Amino acid sequence: MKLFRHGPAGAEKPGLIDASGTLRDLSGVVADIHPATLGRDSMARLAALDPTGLPAVPPGTRFGACVGGVGNVIGIGLNYADHAAEAGLKPPGQPIVFNKHSGAICGPNDDVWLPPGAQKLDWEVELGIVIGRRAFHVSEDDALDFVAGFCLVNDVSERAYQMELEGQWAKGKSYPTHCPVGPWLVTPDELGDPQDVDLWLDVNGERRQTGNTRTMIFGVKSIVSYLSRFMALQPGDVIPTGTPPGVGMGHKPPVYLKAGDVVTLGARGLGEQRQVVVASPAG
């Protein structure tokens, strides 16, 4: 099953993609694709629907982030050995955990804002995990039982804020529009093996990132289990799981985004995103 949210920012409606690929509106069935929708029983009811009787979504309708009401965005850093190498950093022995403010979330094709004076805005294509029910001290064997689905995430990062200012990475990860999510929330049965997902990202039509989740240092099961030791993961939490090599910081010399650049990215089974970099309305 592939779920999505559509309509103006802040007023998105739920949707489902039927077997023919038609986008169907779910607002007559559920209020939203949000934490209350992501539990087993609710998702099973959606999966049992005959969507052919649901209204079609008009062509050209905006995609919102594929899950609403997100409480936490919990990132995993340096989770591909070759990405750690290009950053000049030793692969971690345990997952590196950081937060992105949930206010960074935006739709998959919304503009990305360049902060005033920012010089090191970077891209990161990632597989995102969406939690479906409270996960607390869960084993790796049981971890996927707590996952509602997967999505595509661009973990946009301002590297000077992240690496050159004192304190936590969150400052370089949390600017509004710096977490495009979607277009689809794909259930585990629809995606198949989450450790065999091809990822790619282009900037202005030039391929910058190519990778596969099989080269993750810590896989999906390990990440969910590990995080649940330190926090009670909640329905709707989004976990970007790290990025393959090819980020702007890793180029020699580094290459960063500027106003007018176009970023496109995608992943097997998870759809595609497209963002235009624009000056922040704050400056």
Side-chain angles (χ1 to χ4, degrees), residues 4 12 19 29 34 47 56 59 69 81 96 123 128-129 162 166 168 177 180 214 216 242 270 272 274:
F4 64 95
E12 291 92 347
V29 180
H34 59 179
I96 293 174
W123 56 83
I129 303 167
Q162 177 190 356
E166 294 181 4
Q168 302 298 312
T177 74
R214 74 170 66 94
M216 281 181 172
L270 298 177
E272 298 184 7
R274 181 183 185 276

Side-chain angles (χ1 to χ4, degrees), residues 29-268:
V29 180
V30 292
D32 200 355
I33 307 301
H34 59 179
T37 314
L38 300 176
R40 283 179 169 177
D41 291 345
S42 178
M43 294 289 275
R45 285 193 294 271
L46 293 180
L49 285 174
D50 177 4
T52 57
L54 298 172
V57 175
T61 300
R62 171 186 174 270
F63 282 111
C66 59
V67 59
V70 176
N72 293 288
V73 182
I74 307 153
I76 305 298
L78 296 175
N79 197 27
Y80 289 72
D82 37 8
H83 171 51
E86 75 173 355
L89 299 170
K90 180 181 177 181
Q94 296 184 41
I96 293 174
V97 180
F98 63 89
N99 280 94
K100 287 178 80 82
H101 193 285
S102 60
I105 292 174
C106 67
N109 303 317
D110 292 347
D111 291 342
V112 164
W113 295 352
L114 181 69
Q119 299 293 321
K120 297 183 178 181
L121 192 67
D122 208 344
W123 56 83
E124 294 189 20
V125 59
E126 307 200 8
L127 171 74
I129 303 167
V130 179
I131 297 297
R133 60 192 180 105
R134 185 176 183 268
F136 185 52
H137 286 283
V138 303
S139 69
E140 288 193 24
D141 288 343
D142 294 334
L144 287 182
D145 292 340
F146 296 83
V147 174
F150 300 94
C151 60
L152 183 65
V153 178
N154 187 358
D155 177 19
V156 180
S157 305
E158 210 299 330
R159 299 300 189 188
Y161 297 174
Q162 177 190 356
M163 310 295 287
E164 298 171 20
L165 301 181
E166 294 181 4
Q168 302 298 312
W169 284 8
K171 288 182 286 189
K173 299 282 190 173
S174 297
Y175 203 77
T177 74
H178 286 192
C179 191
V181 174
W184 308 324
L185 171 62
V186 181
T187 53
D189 61 314
E190 177 89 13
L191 181 67
D193 185 1
Q195 301 309 145
D196 187 18
V197 176
D198 292 319
L199 302 164
W200 61 269
L201 182 144
D202 294 350
V203 178
N204 299 327
E206 182 178 350
R207 183 59 45 91
R208 293 297 191 179
Q209 288 187 272
T210 303
N212 186 286
T213 57
R214 74 170 66 94
T215 65
M216 281 181 172
I217 299 169
F218 307 102
V220 168
K221 294 179 182 180
S222 175
I223 289 168
V224 172
S225 177
Y226 182 84
L227 291 176
S228 78
R229 292 167 48 191
F230 306 102
M231 62 193 79
L233 298 170
Q234 301 297 318
D237 285 352
V238 176
I239 307 170
T241 57
T243 195
V247 299
M249 179 177 64
H251 287 269
K252 295 184 176 21
V255 179
Y256 295 114
L257 295 169
K258 60 186 183 302
D261 285 346
V262 177
V263 182
T264 51
L265 57 148
R268 188 270 296 170

